[in-house]
Amino acid sequence: HTTRPRRPGEVDGRDYYFIDRDRFSALIEQGEFLEHAEVFGQLYGTAGSQVRERLAAGRDVILEIDWQGARQVRTNLPTALSIFILPPSLQDLQQRLLGRGQDSAEVIERRMREARTEISHYAEYDFLVVNDDFGLAVRHLQSIFQASRLRREVQERHLGPDVRGLLEQRSTEA
């Protein structure tokens, strides 16, 4: 959810749920958000019910959020993995922002100031990925997702009685 205006090509309900500040505040009061933050003067939030539904269905959920939201997610969902995606340099980040052609010089300057604050929180995350080579960064992300699915506690939930059956079978053979 966000209070910011829609950008060209964005669709309500697909890219974000575009709502006004009063509705956003009401959703905060109702405890609907897994995380929420004010970024560049606009409010952003992730509906906890939607995330939990997808997780319960065995799906991966990726949230593209700032450090404030990530901190809240780690508190509200302690099993969540956090990945900080770093630009190769601040100069590269500035060039990418300029290349988008969507923001004024003032907005880009503010984003660059905020980028330094964002980057200062990298140590709070479980993983760091540098987005220098996009294909390589994607492969690194895929590796993190694959490894997370192989964690013992995830495999135990998935395999359930089969794991215990292996233990019982071994004890009868001994």
Side-chain angles (χ1 to χ4, degrees), residues 37-157:
E38 185 165 346
V39 181
F40 301 121
Q42 300 296 338
L43 300 172
Y44 293 84
T46 304
S49 60
Q50 292 181 353
V51 170
R52 287 184 178 94
E53 276 176 25
R54 286 167 176 81
L55 292 173
R59 297 184 64 196
D60 291 327
V61 177
I62 300 170
L63 304 178
E64 184 183 344
I65 55 180
D66 77 340
W67 67 269
Q68 299 169 84
R71 189 177 277 175
Q72 291 172 56
V73 169
R74 285 190 298 274
T75 297
N76 295 324
L77 265 179
T79 59
L81 293 179
S82 57
I83 305 167
F84 195 101
I85 300 177
L86 286 163
S89 70
L90 289 175
Q91 294 79 16
D92 283 324
L93 177 61
Q94 186 171 24
Q95 287 305 310
R96 289 175 185 179
L97 292 172
L98 288 167
R100 289 192 326 187
Q102 293 181 345
D103 299 314
S104 68
E106 296 81 30
V107 168
I108 290 174
E109 185 178 318
R110 185 176 67 199
R111 286 184 178 272
M112 291 304 299
R113 281 193 308 270
E114 288 295 319
R116 285 179 176 79
T117 301
E118 282 283 326
I119 291 169
S120 75
H121 290 274
Y122 81 90
E124 298 173 22
Y125 290 72
D126 299 312
F127 297 92
L128 297 176
V129 172
V130 177
N131 186 12
D132 188 8
D133 174 315
F134 182 73
L136 181 59
V138 167
R139 288 192 299 279
H140 287 160
L141 290 170
Q142 289 170 330
S143 296
I144 293 167
F145 302 145
Q146 186 62 42
S148 74
R149 290 182 195 109
L150 297 173
R151 288 184 304 178
R152 179 195 40 79
E153 59 274 12
V154 174
Q155 289 292 72
E156 285 176 340
R157 279 195 309 272

Side-chain angles (χ1 to χ4, degrees), residues 4-12 14-16 18 40 42 44 100 102-103 107 111:
R4 76 160 172 76
R6 248 184 267 187
R7 292 182 181 138
E10 288 183 325
V11 176
D12 186 48
R14 182 191 71 193
D15 299 295
Y16 285 96
F18 295 93
F40 301 121
Q42 300 296 338
Y44 293 84
R100 289 192 326 187
Q102 293 181 345
D103 299 314
V107 168
R111 286 184 178 272

